[in-house]
């Protein structure tokens, strides 16, 4: 078994660099440690205490010669655990949560997207960078030793590094730059026939086969976090689970691309160059194939707090226009929004379900804000499958403007809010009309109660 000292030897790093750039003559002369904050790497941090392997992130000052030119590069060596150890760690979290998750999880532990993390990230970094990934200096995989490494640039002189607790720092310029550059990545990898690289890749069959897990994750979230998952929200996601075959029948007809699948401020930062802000996304260990809207749904759920919910659809449209300009495949804004809504259902069932499992054991301060923003996503996109199954929901929806547009219907929204304030001592708002409209839409959930009828399958 390789030790930390083995990974940090000049000869080991030199071999990594030479294999990654065989056209260059590279000699590593010396290696010195650098301080590094790797607290944002949740999976590695949680797994490190449950393995005897040398894993983690190591900051390094590497003195080298490249094609005869002496230089010192500040780099980070990421030594990854094999995915099965991450799966085992997550399984222990499921056991700590109790029933029903503890009983259900073991049968699906290798199918949650974490079992191949060591292969996924290295594969993503072998693709042309195209400005979105960090500069990679070397990759290493030894299956016999179960040793997997990434040697990458030390991210410094960047902005919004690990900004998970500061969504307000993501300005309009940051968000639009991120969405534009994300569209470039997605366009480059867009396909109608995604490669089946791993057995846990999202698909209609995979999502339906894991139905017991989605139900158990949702029950766990409701039991441990009732304030975040009241009856109305639980009902929405239970409806989504019941309609997985329906909405995935639509998703499988849509183009898919290589998504990051963990795109949020824990794994992103911005570089500033002659062309302005450049998004840099790292930690690609969950990368997979899905509709491109998926990454956008996740990113906006993390960076839009309540005071900016009203901007969500505008940002989604900005991304659609950028992707359509590059591919010519997204002229229909309504169809694009449908895909976003169905991608949001997958994000809520899978990734948020897993987050809430870990949150029950070791709370994440950012997560309640993200959950609220996510359910606002559903309120705005209104995936059609969520409209089935409840006369109560239908009656509440009947009070909504048909297209939820911000026009004269805002007068009705403000009247509704005025009535709500009189009945619940709600303080007078200081928000703009658009923000008022979104608060009103959010009340769609608040006005649902537990008197809900069984879910029925929609006709179309």
């Amino acid at each position: 078994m390789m030790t930390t000292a083995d990974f940090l030897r000049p000869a080991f790093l030199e071999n990594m660099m030479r294999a990654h750039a065989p056209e260059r003559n590279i000699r590593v002369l010396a290696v010195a440690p650098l301080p590094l904050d790797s607290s944002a790497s949740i999976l590695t941090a949680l797994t490190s205490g449950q393995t005897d392997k040398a894993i983690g992130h190591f900051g390094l000052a590497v003195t080298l010669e490249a094609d005869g030119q002496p230089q010192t590069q500040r780099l980070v060596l990421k030594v990854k655990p094999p995915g099965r150890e991450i799966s085992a760690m997550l399984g222990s979290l499921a056991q700590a949560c109790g029933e029903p998750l503890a009983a259900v999880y073991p049968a699906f532990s290798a199918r949650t997207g974490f079992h191949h993390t060591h292969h996924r990230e290295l594969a993503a970094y072998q693709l042309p960078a195209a400005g979105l990934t960090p500069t990679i200096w070397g990759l290493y995989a030894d299956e016999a030793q179960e040793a997997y490494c990434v040697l990458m640039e030390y991210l410094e002189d960047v902005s919004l590094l690990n900004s998970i607790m500061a969504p307000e720092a993501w300005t309009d310029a940051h968000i639009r730059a991120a969405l534009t550059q994300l569209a470039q990545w997605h366009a480059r990898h867009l396909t109608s026939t995604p490669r089946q690289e791993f057995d846990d890749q999202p698909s209609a069959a995979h999502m339906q086969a894991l139905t017991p897990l989605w139900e158990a994750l949702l029950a766990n979230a409701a039991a441990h976090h009732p304030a975040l998952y009241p009856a109305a929200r639980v009902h929405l996601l239970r409806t989504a689970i019941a309609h997985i075959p329906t909405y995935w029948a639509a998703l499988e007809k849509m183009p898919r691309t290589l998504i990051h699948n963990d795109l949020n401020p824990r794994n992103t930062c911005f570089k500033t160059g002659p062309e302005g802000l450049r998004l840099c996304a790292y930690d690609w260990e969950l990368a997979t194939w899905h509709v491109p809207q998926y990454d956008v749904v996740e990113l906006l759920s993390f960076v839009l707090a309540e005071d900016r919910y009203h901007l969500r659809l505008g940002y989604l449209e900005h991304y659609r226009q950028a992707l359509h300009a590059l591919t010519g495949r997204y002229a229909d804004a309504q169809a694009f929004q449908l895909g976003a809504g169905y991608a949001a259902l997958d994000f809520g069932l899978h990734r948020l379900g897993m987050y809430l499992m870990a949150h029950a054991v070791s709370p994440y301060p950012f997560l309640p804000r993200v959950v609220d923003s996510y359910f606002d996503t559903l309120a705005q996109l209104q995936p059609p499958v969520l409209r089935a199954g409840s006369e109560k929901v239908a009656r509440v929806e009947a009070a909504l403007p048909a297209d939820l547009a911000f026009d004269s219907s805002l007068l009705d929204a403000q009247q509704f809010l005025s009535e709500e304030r009189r009945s619940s001592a709600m303080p007078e708002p200081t928000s703009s009309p658009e923000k008022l409209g979104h608060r009103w839409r959010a009340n769609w959930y608040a006005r649902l109660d537990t008197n809900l009828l069984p879910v029925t399958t929609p006709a179309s």
Side-chain angles (χ1 to χ4, degrees):
M1 182 183 300
M2 296 182 69
T3 67
T4 300
D6 293 329
F7 290 120
L8 302 184
R9 295 185 195 282
F12 177 78
L13 298 177
E14 180 178 304
N15 287 337
M16 282 185 70
M17 291 180 174
R18 284 175 173 261
H20 188 67
E23 74 282 1
R24 303 190 69 186
N25 181 17
I26 297 177
R27 293 179 57 227
V28 174
L29 307 176
V31 180
L34 291 174
L36 178 69
D37 177 13
S38 59
S39 59
S41 182
I42 292 177
L43 292 180
T44 299
L46 289 174
T47 308
S48 60
Q50 301 192 23
T51 180
D52 54 0
K53 294 184 176 65
I55 64 173
H57 295 69
F58 305 92
L60 305 172
V62 180
T63 302
L64 59 99
E65 285 185 358
D67 300 326
Q69 298 297 316
Q71 54 189 276
T72 297
Q73 294 289 339
R74 293 165 65 87
L75 305 175
V76 171
L77 179 67
K78 181 178 182 180
V79 183
K80 300 177 57 60
R84 63 174 178 79
E85 294 189 354
I86 293 178
S87 294
M89 175 275 297
L90 293 171
S92 69
L93 294 183
Q95 295 305 307
C97 287
E99 303 301 339
L101 189 57
V104 172
Y105 196 89
F108 302 99
S109 63
R111 304 177 67 187
T112 60
F114 295 87
H115 205 67
H116 302 287
T117 52
H118 54 298
H119 290 137
R120 291 179 192 274
E121 184 162 34
L122 269 63
Y125 284 144
Q126 289 172 339
L127 297 170
L132 194 61
T133 60
T135 301
I136 301 299
W137 283 78
L139 300 169
Y140 179 81
D142 185 331
E143 300 293 344
Q145 294 270 354
E146 290 192 321
Y148 311 95
C149 303
V150 176
L151 186 64
M152 56 178 276
E153 66 174 308
Y154 192 113
L155 292 170
E156 51 191 344
D157 298 325
V158 297
S159 59
L160 300 192
L161 182 67
N162 191 22
S163 58
I164 189 66
M165 296 304 296
E168 70 283 354
W170 282 68
T171 66
D172 180 73
H174 287 102
I175 295 173
R176 290 182 182 275
L179 295 177
T180 299
Q181 291 151 37
L182 189 61
Q184 294 167 1
W185 172 276
H186 288 160
R188 186 169 290 106
H189 301 287
L190 198 68
T191 177
S192 297
T193 55
R195 297 191 298 273
Q196 186 66 41
E197 296 177 309
F198 302 105
D199 57 6
D200 55 3
Q201 188 167 304
S203 68
H206 175 76
M207 286 295 295
Q208 191 167 2
L210 269 63
T211 292
L213 178 61
W214 311 141
E215 292 173 342
L217 287 170
L218 181 56
N220 180 73
H224 287 278
H225 314 290
L228 289 176
Y229 279 73
R233 288 179 172 182
V234 172
H235 172 75
L236 287 174
L237 293 186
R238 280 183 178 152
T239 303
I241 293 170
H243 290 82
I244 286 172
T246 301
Y247 78 77
W248 256 98
L251 285 173
E252 289 200 322
K253 296 176 182 177
M254 300 178 186
R256 276 167 278 175
T257 191
L258 183 65
I259 64 165
H260 184 282
N261 199 29
D262 199 14
L263 192 73
N264 60 66
R266 291 187 303 103
N267 300 321
T268 55
C269 62
F270 286 87
K271 301 177 181 180
T272 304
E275 297 180 356
L277 293 169
R278 294 296 305 176
L279 177 69
C280 179
Y282 46 93
D283 284 358
W284 287 76
E285 53 208 358
L286 296 180
T288 191
W289 295 87
H290 209 300
V291 295
Q293 296 96 313
Y294 187 104
D295 276 340
V296 181
V297 165
E298 176 171 7
L299 180 63
L300 295 180
S301 292
F302 274 81
V303 302
L304 295 184
E306 184 180 4
D307 63 330
R308 294 198 291 178
Y309 287 173
H310 62 288
L311 301 176
R312 192 183 312 273
L313 294 184
Y315 286 135
L316 186 64
E317 174 62 11
H318 172 88
Y319 170 81
R320 182 195 68 81
Q321 291 181 12
L323 188 61
H324 181 63
L326 293 165
T327 66
R329 302 185 72 170
Y330 295 97
D332 188 335
Q334 186 175 4
F336 185 81
Q337 203 168 107
L338 176 70
Y342 286 162
L345 297 182
D346 267 17
F347 174 67
L349 295 178
H350 187 180
R351 296 288 293 122
L352 277 189
M354 297 293 290
Y355 263 121
L356 270 296
M357 179 181 77
H359 188 59
V361 178
S362 180
Y364 298 143
F366 61 84
L367 198 55
R369 181 193 78 237
V370 174
V371 170
D372 286 343
S373 186
Y374 166 72
F375 279 101
D376 177 76
T377 301
L378 294 187
Q380 294 194 49
L381 294 177
Q382 290 197 61
V385 296
L386 296 189
R387 299 183 184 182
S390 171
E391 291 181 359
K392 178 71 173 180
V393 173
R395 287 197 299 271
V396 175
E397 279 191 313
L400 295 173
D403 60 358
L404 294 177
F406 291 114
D407 50 23
S408 60
S409 64
L410 281 173
L411 298 175
D412 296 330
Q414 294 180 61
Q415 179 182 357
F416 171 84
L417 282 169
S418 178
E419 293 171 356
E420 290 290 296
R421 282 193 297 275
R422 285 197 296 272
S423 62
S424 61
M426 226 173 152
E428 285 295 322
T430 57
S431 308
S432 69
E434 286 187 347
K435 295 176 185 177
L436 285 173
H438 281 268
R439 289 184 185 176
W440 176 54
R441 183 187 283 108
N443 272 278
W444 179 47
Y445 297 117
R447 294 173 68 189
L448 295 175
D449 58 28
T450 57
N451 183 27
L452 296 169
L453 302 178
V455 172
T456 58
T457 304
S460 60

